[in-house]
Amino acid sequence: MTGPSTGPRAELTRESTSRTAEAAGLTLHYHEAGPQDAPVVIMLHGGGPGASAWSNFGRNLPVFAERFRTLLIDQPCFGRSGKPVLDKDYFSYSADAIAALTDELGIAQAHFVGNSLGGGTSVRMALNHPHKVGKLVLMGPGGVSVNLFAPDPTEGIKRLFEFNTAPRPAKEQLRAFLSVMAYDQSIVTDELVEERWASATDPDTRLGSARMAAAFAEPAWAEDWMLWREAHRITHPVLLTWGREDRVNPLDGALVALRTIPDARLHVFPHCGHWAQAEQADEFNRLALDFLSH
């Protein structure tokens, strides 16, 4: 494990909050800030080219760190974490790795905030490691949502496949993918595209993407990532959040989860795509903090 804790009054940068730890034979990278004696919140990022914990939640970290010991974790196959060959479905593998990390860090229980792919891992955490989970905030989560009316694959998933399967992906393919993620196109800046491009085209990142995709393509594990089949077993309080204009996991995907999870409630952000934490940051922060604090 490297690096001391960072309090909320310190300058919270990508590097100042950066930590690494070995858990279950895997190197996991994460960012940490907030009081050591506060309740813990773990934030799990979505997928997509160049995705990482910091790219999803870096701007939310200072706000959450005022109340919580907050960890943003690069999931396996992403960011600076290891890029292993998976031996089970992705959500189960990632959940087991994060459970091992919490043991390594002495964290008995945490609240989870999961976006898209990270939402699926958060749900698998609640199902497979229920004693380690307090409350769940799920943002357009994967696996537990079912598109009842929207076409499948969705526009966002098509753009993702186009980039990931291209022998030589183009920067404009990445921009097209990011543009689908956001309702407010002003956040798809040249700076964002360049940052994600540098990561997405790194050979190590490409390897991680390929290994994750292989796990989702494995027929023997298909039922394991169809989390909606098990959602009725989630006993934790759950806040489902969705962007009304989400073109990756559309809003109709919330209905089965809302009906099936016993203690679920739903908040819909207008004028918002797949990145509520960025596009509606102030409202998202207030909503999530209130839910997690009471």
Side-chain angles (χ1 to χ4, degrees):
M1 205 181 339
T2 62
S5 297
T6 303
R9 295 184 183 277
E11 181 183 0
L12 304 182
T13 67
R14 183 194 298 261
E15 293 307 320
S16 72
T17 59
S18 178
R19 315 278 184 266
T20 58
E22 297 295 321
L26 180 69
T27 298
L28 287 173
H29 175 262
Y30 61 100
H31 301 271
E32 180 177 353
Q36 286 289 293
D37 58 351
V40 179
V41 168
I42 291 175
M43 294 184 160
L44 300 179
H45 60 85
S52 69
W54 187 264
S55 70
N56 258 204
F57 293 114
R59 287 176 291 180
N60 307 95
L61 180 58
V63 179
F64 278 78
E66 291 177 1
R67 298 193 199 178
F68 295 97
R69 179 185 176 188
T70 307
L71 281 70
L72 321 181
I73 301 176
D74 285 342
Q75 296 192 75
C77 297
F78 285 91
R80 300 184 198 175
S81 288
K83 312 298 189 294
V85 175
L86 277 60
D87 58 3
K88 62 187 73 173
D89 75 281
Y90 184 81
F91 294 141
S92 296
Y93 189 97
S94 185
D96 288 349
I98 290 161
L101 178 63
T102 61
D103 288 341
E104 177 70 20
L105 299 180
I107 296 171
Q109 188 179 84
H111 302 307
F112 282 79
V113 178
N115 174 223
S116 195
L117 183 78
T121 298
S122 298
V123 168
R124 183 50 76 188
M125 278 292 303
L127 291 168
N128 288 16
H129 306 279
H131 62 288
K132 291 183 173 292
V133 177
K135 295 181 179 181
L136 298 174
V137 178
L138 306 176
M139 307 146 62
V144 75
S145 60
V146 180
N147 297 337
L148 300 179
F149 308 113
D152 202 2
T154 63
E155 184 180 2
I157 298 300
K158 287 180 179 178
R159 295 286 179 266
L160 176 62
F161 285 164
E162 288 172 2
F163 185 92
N164 283 343
T165 59
R168 293 184 178 179
K171 192 177 294 185
E172 285 310 307
Q173 288 177 304
L174 176 60
R175 185 182 292 274
F177 169 76
L178 296 174
S179 296
V180 170
M181 300 289 281
Y183 172 81
D184 178 5
Q185 294 298 297
S186 70
I187 72 172
V188 186
T189 61
D190 291 342
E191 181 183 11
L192 174 64
V193 174
E194 291 299 329
E195 177 184 341
R196 294 288 289 259
W197 175 254
S199 175
T201 54
D202 178 82
D204 193 50
T205 301
R206 296 279 286 174
L207 175 64
S209 296
R211 288 179 169 174
M212 183 194 71
F216 275 108
E218 173 54 55
W221 302 335
E223 291 186 2
D224 294 326
W225 58 258
M226 295 180 185
L227 299 171
W228 54 269
R229 297 160 57 95
E230 303 176 63
H232 65 280
R233 298 199 292 110
I234 300 172
T235 59
H236 310 75
V238 176
L239 173 60
L240 298 166
T241 69
W242 240 274
R244 187 181 64 188
E245 286 76 32
D246 193 329
R247 292 187 283 165
V248 180
N249 290 339
L251 178 57
D252 62 293
L255 299 178
V256 170
L258 179 63
R259 180 66 179 86
T260 306
I261 298 172
D263 191 4
R265 68 277 290 143
L266 171 67
H267 182 91
V268 180
F269 297 94
H271 314 299
C272 182
H274 197 53
W275 286 338
Q277 79 279 12
E279 293 190 82
Q280 301 292 339
D282 291 342
E283 185 179 354
F284 171 80
N285 290 340
R286 287 196 303 269
L287 186 72
L289 288 170
D290 182 70
F291 175 70
L292 296 175
S293 298
H294 297 95

mmCIF file of all heavy atoms in Angstrom, residues 184-224:
data_model
loop_
_atom_site.group_PDB
_atom_site.id
_atom_site.type_symbol
_atom_site.label_atom_id
_atom_site.label_comp_id
_atom_site.label_asym_id
_atom_site.label_seq_id
_atom_site.Cartn_x
_atom_site.Cartn_y
_atom_site.Cartn_z
ATOM 1 N N ASP A 184 -25.406 17.500 -22.458
ATOM 2 C CA ASP A 184 -24.792 18.813 -22.599
ATOM 3 C C ASP A 184 -23.474 18.656 -23.357
ATOM 4 O O ASP A 184 -22.465 18.242 -22.791
ATOM 5 C CB ASP A 184 -24.550 19.415 -21.215
ATOM 6 C CG ASP A 184 -23.872 20.775 -21.262
ATOM 7 O OD1 ASP A 184 -23.671 21.299 -22.380
ATOM 8 O OD2 ASP A 184 -23.535 21.305 -20.185
ATOM 9 N N GLN A 185 -23.492 18.979 -24.611
ATOM 10 C CA GLN A 185 -22.321 18.759 -25.451
ATOM 11 C C GLN A 185 -21.151 19.676 -25.099
ATOM 12 O O GLN A 185 -20.020 19.423 -25.525
ATOM 13 C CB GLN A 185 -22.691 18.928 -26.921
ATOM 14 C CG GLN A 185 -23.655 17.864 -27.428
ATOM 15 C CD GLN A 185 -23.058 16.464 -27.341
ATOM 16 O OE1 GLN A 185 -22.061 16.167 -27.978
ATOM 17 N NE2 GLN A 185 -23.671 15.602 -26.524
ATOM 18 N N SER A 186 -21.407 20.704 -24.309
ATOM 19 C CA SER A 186 -20.315 21.611 -23.946
ATOM 20 C C SER A 186 -19.282 20.926 -23.062
ATOM 21 O O SER A 186 -18.145 21.392 -22.959
ATOM 22 C CB SER A 186 -20.864 22.854 -23.238
ATOM 23 O OG SER A 186 -21.367 22.529 -21.941
ATOM 24 N N ILE A 187 -19.663 19.804 -22.399
ATOM 25 C CA ILE A 187 -18.681 19.125 -21.543
ATOM 26 C C ILE A 187 -17.774 18.195 -22.349
ATOM 27 O O ILE A 187 -16.769 17.705 -21.828
ATOM 28 C CB ILE A 187 -19.361 18.360 -20.387
ATOM 29 C CG1 ILE A 187 -20.077 17.106 -20.890
ATOM 30 C CG2 ILE A 187 -20.306 19.258 -19.618
ATOM 31 C CD1 ILE A 187 -20.596 16.243 -19.760
ATOM 32 N N VAL A 188 -18.124 17.944 -23.619
ATOM 33 C CA VAL A 188 -17.254 17.128 -24.476
ATOM 34 C C VAL A 188 -16.239 18.062 -25.123
ATOM 35 O O VAL A 188 -16.317 18.417 -26.298
ATOM 36 C CB VAL A 188 -18.067 16.355 -25.530
ATOM 37 C CG1 VAL A 188 -17.160 15.403 -26.322
ATOM 38 C CG2 VAL A 188 -19.188 15.561 -24.865
ATOM 39 N N THR A 189 -15.289 18.482 -24.340
ATOM 40 C CA THR A 189 -14.294 19.455 -24.774
ATOM 41 C C THR A 189 -13.140 18.761 -25.493
ATOM 42 O O THR A 189 -12.939 17.548 -25.377
ATOM 43 C CB THR A 189 -13.745 20.223 -23.562
ATOM 44 O OG1 THR A 189 -13.114 19.274 -22.677
ATOM 45 C CG2 THR A 189 -14.870 20.933 -22.815
ATOM 46 N N ASP A 190 -12.365 19.560 -26.205
ATOM 47 C CA ASP A 190 -11.157 19.011 -26.823
ATOM 48 C C ASP A 190 -10.221 18.435 -25.769
ATOM 49 O O ASP A 190 -9.568 17.412 -25.992
ATOM 50 C CB ASP A 190 -10.435 20.106 -27.618
ATOM 51 C CG ASP A 190 -11.199 20.534 -28.851
ATOM 52 O OD1 ASP A 190 -12.103 19.793 -29.294
ATOM 53 O OD2 ASP A 190 -10.897 21.622 -29.382
ATOM 54 N N GLU A 191 -10.168 19.088 -24.605
ATOM 55 C CA GLU A 191 -9.317 18.609 -23.512
ATOM 56 C C GLU A 191 -9.763 17.224 -23.042
ATOM 57 O O GLU A 191 -8.934 16.335 -22.810
ATOM 58 C CB GLU A 191 -9.356 19.590 -22.354
ATOM 59 C CG GLU A 191 -8.482 19.192 -21.173
ATOM 60 C CD GLU A 191 -8.591 20.162 -20.008
ATOM 61 O OE1 GLU A 191 -9.497 21.025 -20.035
ATOM 62 O OE2 GLU A 191 -7.783 20.042 -19.075
ATOM 63 N N LEU A 192 -11.083 17.037 -22.892
ATOM 64 C CA LEU A 192 -11.601 15.732 -22.476
ATOM 65 C C LEU A 192 -11.281 14.669 -23.517
ATOM 66 O O LEU A 192 -10.840 13.562 -23.169
ATOM 67 C CB LEU A 192 -13.119 15.808 -22.272
ATOM 68 C CG LEU A 192 -13.812 14.473 -21.965
ATOM 69 C CD1 LEU A 192 -13.323 13.898 -20.642
ATOM 70 C CD2 LEU A 192 -15.329 14.639 -21.964
ATOM 71 N N VAL A 193 -11.494 14.999 -24.782
ATOM 72 C CA VAL A 193 -11.215 14.039 -25.850
ATOM 73 C C VAL A 193 -9.740 13.653 -25.849
ATOM 74 O O VAL A 193 -9.395 12.461 -25.951
ATOM 75 C CB VAL A 193 -11.633 14.603 -27.223
ATOM 76 C CG1 VAL A 193 -11.193 13.668 -28.343
ATOM 77 C CG2 VAL A 193 -13.151 14.812 -27.277
ATOM 78 N N GLU A 194 -8.856 14.636 -25.719
ATOM 79 C CA GLU A 194 -7.416 14.343 -25.721
ATOM 80 C C GLU A 194 -7.022 13.493 -24.521
ATOM 81 O O GLU A 194 -6.205 12.567 -24.648
ATOM 82 C CB GLU A 194 -6.619 15.653 -25.729
ATOM 83 C CG GLU A 194 -6.728 16.449 -27.025
ATOM 84 C CD GLU A 194 -6.199 15.685 -28.236
ATOM 85 O OE1 GLU A 194 -5.269 14.865 -28.063
ATOM 86 O OE2 GLU A 194 -6.723 15.909 -29.336
ATOM 87 N N GLU A 195 -7.582 13.806 -23.355
ATOM 88 C CA GLU A 195 -7.257 13.043 -22.152
ATOM 89 C C GLU A 195 -7.702 11.590 -22.296
ATOM 90 O O GLU A 195 -6.931 10.658 -22.009
ATOM 91 C CB GLU A 195 -7.939 13.675 -20.934
ATOM 92 C CG GLU A 195 -7.708 12.906 -19.641
ATOM 93 C CD GLU A 195 -8.464 13.503 -18.463
ATOM 94 O OE1 GLU A 195 -8.874 14.681 -18.547
ATOM 95 O OE2 GLU A 195 -8.645 12.785 -17.464
ATOM 96 N N ARG A 196 -8.942 11.390 -22.766
ATOM 97 C CA ARG A 196 -9.447 10.027 -22.916
ATOM 98 C C ARG A 196 -8.741 9.296 -24.059
ATOM 99 O O ARG A 196 -8.520 8.080 -23.987
ATOM 100 C CB ARG A 196 -10.967 10.052 -23.157
ATOM 101 C CG ARG A 196 -11.790 10.552 -21.985
ATOM 102 C CD ARG A 196 -11.842 9.556 -20.832
ATOM 103 N NE ARG A 196 -12.627 8.391 -21.126
ATOM 104 C CZ ARG A 196 -13.879 8.195 -20.704
ATOM 105 N NH1 ARG A 196 -14.491 9.104 -19.962
ATOM 106 N NH2 ARG A 196 -14.525 7.075 -21.012
ATOM 107 N N TRP A 197 -8.360 10.026 -25.108
ATOM 108 C CA TRP A 197 -7.660 9.424 -26.240
ATOM 109 C C TRP A 197 -6.295 8.884 -25.805
ATOM 110 O O TRP A 197 -5.909 7.770 -26.176
ATOM 111 C CB TRP A 197 -7.494 10.441 -27.361
ATOM 112 C CG TRP A 197 -6.680 9.972 -28.533
ATOM 113 C CD1 TRP A 197 -5.408 10.333 -28.854
ATOM 114 C CD2 TRP A 197 -7.102 9.048 -29.543
ATOM 115 N NE1 TRP A 197 -5.006 9.703 -29.999
ATOM 116 C CE2 TRP A 197 -6.023 8.900 -30.457
ATOM 117 C CE3 TRP A 197 -8.282 8.336 -29.776
ATOM 118 C CZ2 TRP A 197 -6.090 8.073 -31.565
ATOM 119 C CZ3 TRP A 197 -8.352 7.507 -30.885
ATOM 120 C CH2 TRP A 197 -7.262 7.377 -31.768
ATOM 121 N N ALA A 198 -5.576 9.675 -25.017
ATOM 122 C CA ALA A 198 -4.256 9.246 -24.562
ATOM 123 C C ALA A 198 -4.349 7.947 -23.758
ATOM 124 O O ALA A 198 -3.511 7.048 -23.910
ATOM 125 C CB ALA A 198 -3.616 10.345 -23.720
ATOM 126 N N SER A 199 -5.377 7.839 -22.942
ATOM 127 C CA SER A 199 -5.547 6.626 -22.149
ATOM 128 C C SER A 199 -6.077 5.477 -22.999
ATOM 129 O O SER A 199 -5.580 4.347 -22.917
ATOM 130 C CB SER A 199 -6.508 6.893 -20.984
ATOM 131 O OG SER A 199 -6.767 5.707 -20.269
ATOM 132 N N ALA A 200 -7.081 5.764 -23.828
ATOM 133 C CA ALA A 200 -7.761 4.705 -24.587
ATOM 134 C C ALA A 200 -6.851 4.010 -25.590
ATOM 135 O O ALA A 200 -7.058 2.837 -25.917
ATOM 136 C CB ALA A 200 -8.969 5.282 -25.312
ATOM 137 N N THR A 201 -5.851 4.724 -26.101
ATOM 138 C CA THR A 201 -4.961 4.148 -27.108
ATOM 139 C C THR A 201 -3.682 3.566 -26.511
ATOM 140 O O THR A 201 -2.852 3.031 -27.241
ATOM 141 C CB THR A 201 -4.597 5.210 -28.156
ATOM 142 O OG1 THR A 201 -4.058 6.372 -27.508
ATOM 143 C CG2 THR A 201 -5.831 5.616 -28.957
ATOM 144 N N ASP A 202 -3.542 3.652 -25.196
ATOM 145 C CA ASP A 202 -2.397 3.042 -24.532
ATOM 146 C C ASP A 202 -2.504 1.520 -24.665
ATOM 147 O O ASP A 202 -3.581 0.948 -24.455
ATOM 148 C CB ASP A 202 -2.388 3.442 -23.055
ATOM 149 C CG ASP A 202 -1.243 2.799 -22.298
ATOM 150 O OD1 ASP A 202 -0.136 3.323 -22.355
ATOM 151 O OD2 ASP A 202 -1.482 1.744 -21.660
ATOM 152 N N PRO A 203 -1.438 0.831 -25.014
ATOM 153 C CA PRO A 203 -1.509 -0.628 -25.205
ATOM 154 C C PRO A 203 -2.020 -1.376 -23.983
ATOM 155 O O PRO A 203 -2.756 -2.357 -24.113
ATOM 156 C CB PRO A 203 -0.060 -1.010 -25.533
ATOM 157 C CG PRO A 203 0.533 0.224 -26.124
ATOM 158 C CD PRO A 203 -0.113 1.365 -25.407
ATOM 159 N N ASP A 204 -1.652 -0.920 -22.789
ATOM 160 C CA ASP A 204 -2.113 -1.574 -21.574
ATOM 161 C C ASP A 204 -3.621 -1.412 -21.410
ATOM 162 O O ASP A 204 -4.329 -2.353 -21.006
ATOM 163 C CB ASP A 204 -1.374 -0.993 -20.370
ATOM 164 C CG ASP A 204 -1.553 -1.828 -19.113
ATOM 165 O OD1 ASP A 204 -1.344 -3.055 -19.179
ATOM 166 O OD2 ASP A 204 -1.899 -1.255 -18.063
ATOM 167 N N THR A 205 -4.128 -0.228 -21.739
ATOM 168 C CA THR A 205 -5.570 0.008 -21.676
ATOM 169 C C THR A 205 -6.307 -0.840 -22.689
ATOM 170 O O THR A 205 -7.363 -1.423 -22.395
ATOM 171 C CB THR A 205 -5.884 1.492 -21.915
ATOM 172 O OG1 THR A 205 -5.213 2.284 -20.926
ATOM 173 C CG2 THR A 205 -7.373 1.764 -21.833
ATOM 174 N N ARG A 206 -5.761 -0.934 -23.872
ATOM 175 C CA ARG A 206 -6.389 -1.762 -24.918
ATOM 176 C C ARG A 206 -6.440 -3.227 -24.493
ATOM 177 O O ARG A 206 -7.431 -3.932 -24.739
ATOM 178 C CB ARG A 206 -5.610 -1.620 -26.232
ATOM 179 C CG ARG A 206 -5.619 -0.230 -26.834
ATOM 180 C CD ARG A 206 -6.867 0.057 -27.613
ATOM 181 N NE ARG A 206 -6.884 -0.652 -28.902
ATOM 182 C CZ ARG A 206 -7.937 -0.661 -29.726
ATOM 183 N NH1 ARG A 206 -9.047 -0.046 -29.383
ATOM 184 N NH2 ARG A 206 -7.882 -1.306 -30.881
ATOM 185 N N LEU A 207 -5.383 -3.689 -23.831
ATOM 186 C CA LEU A 207 -5.365 -5.054 -23.331
ATOM 187 C C LEU A 207 -6.465 -5.257 -22.297
ATOM 188 O O LEU A 207 -7.192 -6.263 -22.333
ATOM 189 C CB LEU A 207 -4.000 -5.367 -22.715
ATOM 190 C CG LEU A 207 -3.860 -6.734 -22.042
ATOM 191 C CD1 LEU A 207 -4.019 -7.855 -23.059
ATOM 192 C CD2 LEU A 207 -2.503 -6.841 -21.341
ATOM 193 N N GLY A 208 -6.607 -4.310 -21.382
ATOM 194 C CA GLY A 208 -7.651 -4.411 -20.374
ATOM 195 C C GLY A 208 -9.036 -4.441 -20.975
ATOM 196 O O GLY A 208 -9.899 -5.232 -20.560
ATOM 197 N N SER A 209 -9.268 -3.592 -21.973
ATOM 198 C CA SER A 209 -10.576 -3.563 -22.644
ATOM 199 C C SER A 209 -10.876 -4.893 -23.310
ATOM 200 O O SER A 209 -12.008 -5.399 -23.246
ATOM 201 C CB SER A 209 -10.604 -2.434 -23.677
ATOM 202 O OG SER A 209 -10.477 -1.171 -23.069
ATOM 203 N N ALA A 210 -9.869 -5.468 -23.960
ATOM 204 C CA ALA A 210 -10.067 -6.746 -24.647
ATOM 205 C C ALA A 210 -10.375 -7.860 -23.651
ATOM 206 O O ALA A 210 -11.234 -8.719 -23.900
ATOM 207 C CB ALA A 210 -8.827 -7.090 -25.466
ATOM 208 N N ARG A 211 -9.704 -7.858 -22.523
ATOM 209 C CA ARG A 211 -9.937 -8.911 -21.527
ATOM 210 C C ARG A 211 -11.301 -8.755 -20.858
ATOM 211 O O ARG A 211 -11.968 -9.748 -20.559
ATOM 212 C CB ARG A 211 -8.800 -8.911 -20.504
ATOM 213 C CG ARG A 211 -7.509 -9.449 -21.112
ATOM 214 C CD ARG A 211 -6.336 -9.456 -20.150
ATOM 215 N NE ARG A 211 -5.221 -10.224 -20.726
ATOM 216 C CZ ARG A 211 -4.022 -10.319 -20.181
ATOM 217 N NH1 ARG A 211 -3.749 -9.687 -19.041
ATOM 218 N NH2 ARG A 211 -3.075 -11.045 -20.763
ATOM 219 N N MET A 212 -11.726 -7.527 -20.613
ATOM 220 C CA MET A 212 -13.060 -7.316 -20.080
ATOM 221 C C MET A 212 -14.117 -7.762 -21.080
ATOM 222 O O MET A 212 -15.084 -8.457 -20.742
ATOM 223 C CB MET A 212 -13.283 -5.856 -19.722
ATOM 224 C CG MET A 212 -14.650 -5.597 -19.096
ATOM 225 S SD MET A 212 -15.105 -3.852 -19.041
ATOM 226 C CE MET A 212 -15.413 -3.547 -20.785
ATOM 227 N N ALA A 213 -13.944 -7.373 -22.346
ATOM 228 C CA ALA A 213 -14.905 -7.744 -23.384
ATOM 229 C C ALA A 213 -14.996 -9.257 -23.536
ATOM 230 O O ALA A 213 -16.088 -9.807 -23.748
ATOM 231 C CB ALA A 213 -14.505 -7.099 -24.708
ATOM 232 N N ALA A 214 -13.869 -9.949 -23.417
ATOM 233 C CA ALA A 214 -13.866 -11.402 -23.530
ATOM 234 C C ALA A 214 -14.703 -12.038 -22.428
ATOM 235 O O ALA A 214 -15.391 -13.046 -22.648
ATOM 236 C CB ALA A 214 -12.439 -11.932 -23.484
ATOM 237 N N ALA A 215 -14.664 -11.440 -21.234
ATOM 238 C CA ALA A 215 -15.461 -11.977 -20.129
ATOM 239 C C ALA A 215 -16.951 -11.808 -20.393
ATOM 240 O O ALA A 215 -17.748 -12.712 -20.115
ATOM 241 C CB ALA A 215 -15.066 -11.289 -18.822
ATOM 242 N N PHE A 216 -17.337 -10.655 -20.945
ATOM 243 C CA PHE A 216 -18.753 -10.433 -21.250
ATOM 244 C C PHE A 216 -19.224 -11.314 -22.411
ATOM 245 O O PHE A 216 -20.406 -11.628 -22.514
ATOM 246 C CB PHE A 216 -19.003 -8.966 -21.583
ATOM 247 C CG PHE A 216 -19.224 -8.102 -20.375
ATOM 248 C CD1 PHE A 216 -18.262 -7.201 -19.955
ATOM 249 C CD2 PHE A 216 -20.399 -8.196 -19.637
ATOM 250 C CE1 PHE A 216 -18.458 -6.408 -18.832
ATOM 251 C CE2 PHE A 216 -20.612 -7.409 -18.515
ATOM 252 C CZ PHE A 216 -19.636 -6.508 -18.107
ATOM 253 N N ALA A 217 -18.298 -11.720 -23.270
ATOM 254 C CA ALA A 217 -18.656 -12.544 -24.425
ATOM 255 C C ALA A 217 -18.682 -14.033 -24.105
ATOM 256 O O ALA A 217 -19.122 -14.836 -24.938
ATOM 257 C CB ALA A 217 -17.675 -12.282 -25.568
ATOM 258 N N GLU A 218 -18.225 -14.430 -22.924
ATOM 259 C CA GLU A 218 -18.172 -15.843 -22.564
ATOM 260 C C GLU A 218 -19.577 -16.379 -22.273
ATOM 261 O O GLU A 218 -20.227 -15.957 -21.316
ATOM 262 C CB GLU A 218 -17.282 -16.022 -21.329
ATOM 263 C CG GLU A 218 -17.281 -17.416 -20.748
ATOM 264 C CD GLU A 218 -16.937 -18.495 -21.756
ATOM 265 O OE1 GLU A 218 -15.859 -18.372 -22.388
ATOM 266 O OE2 GLU A 218 -17.739 -19.431 -21.913
ATOM 267 N N PRO A 219 -20.090 -17.311 -23.099
ATOM 268 C CA PRO A 219 -21.469 -17.786 -22.914
ATOM 269 C C PRO A 219 -21.726 -18.398 -21.537
ATOM 270 O O PRO A 219 -22.823 -18.252 -20.988
ATOM 271 C CB PRO A 219 -21.631 -18.834 -24.025
ATOM 272 C CG PRO A 219 -20.602 -18.473 -25.051
ATOM 273 C CD PRO A 219 -19.452 -17.906 -24.282
ATOM 274 N N ALA A 220 -20.745 -19.066 -20.970
ATOM 275 C CA ALA A 220 -20.949 -19.740 -19.692
ATOM 276 C C ALA A 220 -21.199 -18.760 -18.551
ATOM 277 O O ALA A 220 -21.740 -19.157 -17.501
ATOM 278 C CB ALA A 220 -19.734 -20.605 -19.368
ATOM 279 N N TRP A 221 -20.814 -17.490 -18.729
ATOM 280 C CA TRP A 221 -20.968 -16.503 -17.658
ATOM 281 C C TRP A 221 -22.100 -15.523 -17.927
ATOM 282 O O TRP A 221 -22.305 -14.583 -17.145
ATOM 283 C CB TRP A 221 -19.668 -15.722 -17.477
ATOM 284 C CG TRP A 221 -18.486 -16.578 -17.154
ATOM 285 C CD1 TRP A 221 -18.498 -17.819 -16.550
ATOM 286 C CD2 TRP A 221 -17.113 -16.280 -17.409
ATOM 287 N NE1 TRP A 221 -17.227 -18.305 -16.415
ATOM 288 C CE2 TRP A 221 -16.342 -17.385 -16.934
ATOM 289 C CE3 TRP A 221 -16.442 -15.195 -17.984
ATOM 290 C CZ2 TRP A 221 -14.948 -17.418 -17.024
ATOM 291 C CZ3 TRP A 221 -15.067 -15.230 -18.073
ATOM 292 C CH2 TRP A 221 -14.328 -16.327 -17.596
ATOM 293 N N ALA A 222 -22.851 -15.707 -19.004
ATOM 294 C CA ALA A 222 -23.856 -14.722 -19.415
ATOM 295 C C ALA A 222 -24.895 -14.468 -18.317
ATOM 296 O O ALA A 222 -25.246 -13.311 -18.027
ATOM 297 C CB ALA A 222 -24.539 -15.169 -20.699
ATOM 298 N N GLU A 223 -25.388 -15.526 -17.710
ATOM 299 C CA GLU A 223 -26.423 -15.337 -16.704
ATOM 300 C C GLU A 223 -25.886 -14.614 -15.470
ATOM 301 O O GLU A 223 -26.645 -13.954 -14.756
ATOM 302 C CB GLU A 223 -27.026 -16.682 -16.303
ATOM 303 C CG GLU A 223 -27.841 -17.328 -17.414
ATOM 304 C CD GLU A 223 -28.554 -18.584 -16.935
ATOM 305 O OE1 GLU A 223 -28.436 -18.915 -15.735
ATOM 306 O OE2 GLU A 223 -29.220 -19.226 -17.756
ATOM 307 N N ASP A 224 -24.593 -14.707 -15.225
ATOM 308 C CA ASP A 224 -24.023 -14.091 -14.029
ATOM 309 C C ASP A 224 -24.006 -12.571 -14.119
ATOM 310 O O ASP A 224 -24.031 -11.892 -13.081
ATOM 311 C CB ASP A 224 -22.608 -14.619 -13.786
ATOM 312 C CG ASP A 224 -22.591 -16.100 -13.446
ATOM 313 O OD1 ASP A 224 -23.546 -16.564 -12.794
ATOM 314 O OD2 ASP A 224 -21.633 -16.795 -13.843
#
